[in-house]
Amino acid sequence: MDPLFVTALSLSLQVALVASLILLLLGIPLAWTLAFRRFPGKAILEAIFLLPLVLPPTVLGFYVLLFLGPEGPWHKVTGLSWAFRFEGLVFASVLFSLPFALTAYREAFLALDRNLLEVARTLGAPKPKVWAKVVLPLVWPGLLSGTLLAFAHTLGEFGVVLMVGGSIPGKTQMVSIYIYDLVQALRFEEASKAALVLLFLSLAFLVAARTLEAKGRAWKSIT
Amino acid sequence: MRKSLVVLAAVLGISAWAQETVQVVAAADLQYALKEVAQAFEAKNPAIRVSLSFGSSGKFYTQLTQGLEADIFFSAEKIYPQLLEEKGLAEPNTRKPYAIGRMVIWLDRSLGLKPSPEALKDPRITRLAIANPVHAPYGRAAVTLLEHLGLLKRRPDVSIPGLKKPFASLSWEEIPWEELTRGVEAYWDASPLRQGKPSFEFVYGENISHTAQLALTATKAGILALSLAVHESLSKPGVYWLSPLGSHLTLEQDYVILKGRKRPEVMAFYRFVESPEARATFKRYGFLLPGEKPE
């Protein structure tokens, strides 16, 4: 196999892994808030989080680039230059995969039987214990399925990462861009091989996510 | 399970192995030639790896001003390295010509046409692939070639803000390409070859390599780089007409080392580009060498 393909796939997996871990940490409190809290401007906030679903990737990528670029606010405030780098790819990936994770997490939380939480609390269980013994065992299939979806989506994203990362082999050339570059180089055979790998990976992740979702539903019906 | 973890670790960790790497961003017309040059260089310098990235020169220029990190930039036109130099983003005194690009009119063999500018008047050619002139030098050269051949005429009524001279009187070098973002059609007329109707519409490639792909898979005709047209993926399915120098914007191709990147391994590759071996490779792909006269 072409070593550049391995490098590109490896980079994609790394970006997707880091981004989905960040999404897990960020998404749980966010999804919880969106599921159970009421506050003014909630609808607007929800719309903003869902925006990457409908926004053209080039638009999102363009704004991320402006934000992270040498004259952008991120550089001004932190002194860090993240455009065309791994960090920038992760930053963008967290943004464009957020709706996938968030939606799945929120569904998982909404499916929770609130009575169980009340019971646990009236029995005097402290908050961390309620989470460890009641919430997590019930929602983990949903959390994992959302994270898998975000992971798979990051793995395949093209437009945003092309804008934010460009195509530097080993540094910012993610696997979708590697395939694009092969097509541009008229190397259709290699492109179709690489595309096939991505197709099967995506399919595997989706099957896993759906299976977990079904499992979550089955658990709910038992309780 | 164990085994799959090891494989996963290998895949995740593989980009971590360190080797001296020269990061090169290059115009897409170098797709084949520079790859060969880099391979020859790596064969002689096994400790150094040359990482190549191809795209339109204008796009790379923009990305380089926006923080893209690279060691050497091979442009398809000298204006971009020059601008980098003026902005203080290039190492002083490292901008040099390495080749002069040649351009062809490429036609799909299935059309059965004799390769010539006249062939573009064939009614079956309804779409022509050219690189996007806004940021790709080959696109600009394509427009000037079509103008030279009488297949495009400047619209006399075009006014461009901030420009002192009328657009119609500008020389090729003076045309502010970056300002022409509305597409060639807004500034030039396809000359009335067919009773007042434009003879073809343009399909723009993101860079010259993408343009070749469009010509090959969609339009059956395009204005491409000779360095791509000689490659078997285009020479087998197509025929081409080589446009003479002087019939279009000259593609004087410069390369430059970027600011703060003058490391020994970078210098080694920079110098190798001038070696007889590298020059022979460029020549084989149809480039003229600096200082050389076309035969």
Side-chain angles (χ1 to χ4, degrees), chain A:
Chain A
M1 196 160 265
D2 184 358
L4 274 183
F5 173 66
V6 180
T7 313
L9 185 60
S10 148
L11 178 73
S12 285
L13 290 172
Q14 290 178 51
V15 170
L17 192 70
V18 177
S20 35
L21 287 180
I22 292 174
L23 276 174
L24 194 62
L25 293 178
L26 208 71
I28 289 177
L30 261 179
W32 186 268
T33 312
L34 290 179
F36 298 128
R37 295 273 145 79
R38 279 180 195 202
F39 51 89
K42 186 176 161 185
I44 295 174
L45 194 68
E46 271 177 316
I48 289 174
F49 289 140
L50 290 180
L51 204 52
L53 274 185
V54 291
L55 210 59
T58 40
V59 173
L60 182 62
F62 174 65
Y63 281 121
V64 172
L65 200 57
L66 284 187
F67 182 74
L68 297 180
E71 263 113 63
W74 184 251
H75 181 77
K76 280 207 179 106
V77 174
T78 63
L80 296 169
S81 160
W82 275 9
F84 306 108
R85 276 167 180 260
F86 184 83
E87 294 90 332
L89 287 176
V90 170
F91 182 92
S93 304
V94 168
L95 280 183
F96 68 63
S97 290
L98 186 68
F100 291 82
L102 217 52
T103 313
Y105 296 174
R106 197 181 49 179
E107 289 308 309
F109 288 142
L110 285 174
L112 262 181
D113 189 347
R114 303 285 304 267
N115 290 329
L116 288 175
L117 300 185
E118 292 301 320
V119 170
R121 214 170 299 149
T122 45
L123 287 176
K127 247 187 181 173
K129 201 170 178 189
V130 176
W131 267 86
K133 297 275 174 181
V134 183
V135 178
L136 281 181
L138 287 173
V139 298
W140 76 262
L143 294 186
L144 197 55
S145 131
T147 308
L148 276 178
L149 270 183
F151 185 92
H153 183 238
T154 308
L155 205 60
E157 174 55 36
F158 175 75
V160 178
V161 297
L162 185 68
M163 292 289 275
V164 179
S167 171
I168 302 296
K171 281 195 177 164
T172 64
Q173 190 189 52
M174 286 177 62
V175 67
S176 56
I177 293 170
Y178 167 83
I179 293 171
Y180 175 73
D181 286 349
L182 278 184
V183 174
Q184 289 214 351
L186 313 177
R187 288 153 67 186
F188 298 139
E189 250 176 64
E190 289 156 86
S192 65
K193 270 185 212 157
L196 205 61
V197 173
L198 210 58
L199 176 69
F200 277 113
L201 270 180
S202 310
L203 193 65
F205 281 117
L206 277 184
V207 169
R210 298 300 294 178
T211 313
L212 282 167
E213 253 173 65
K215 194 165 186 176
R217 243 174 281 137
W219 278 50
K220 204 186 107 196
S221 58
I222 291 168
T223 55

Side-chain angles (χ1 to χ4, degrees), chain A residues 10 14 70 85 167-168 184, chain B residues 11-12 23 53 66 69 207 209:
Chain A
S10 148
Q14 290 178 51
R85 276 167 180 260
S167 171
I168 302 296
Q184 289 214 351
Chain B
V11 168
L12 289 175
Q23 205 78 58
S53 201
Q66 294 298 311
E69 294 185 6
N207 57 59
S209 202

Side-chain angles (χ1 to χ4, degrees), chain B residues 126-171:
Chain B
T126 52
R127 289 180 296 174
L128 184 68
I130 66 170
N132 194 337
V134 175
H135 56 83
Y138 273 97
R140 299 170 187 182
V143 173
T144 58
L145 173 67
L146 289 169
E147 199 181 276
H148 179 86
L149 295 172
L151 297 169
L152 280 185
K153 279 202 181 74
R154 285 188 209 192
R155 288 177 192 268
D157 52 342
V158 169
S159 73
I160 296 170
L163 213 62
K164 300 229 166 57
K165 279 200 256 178
F167 178 68
S169 72
L170 297 178
S171 71

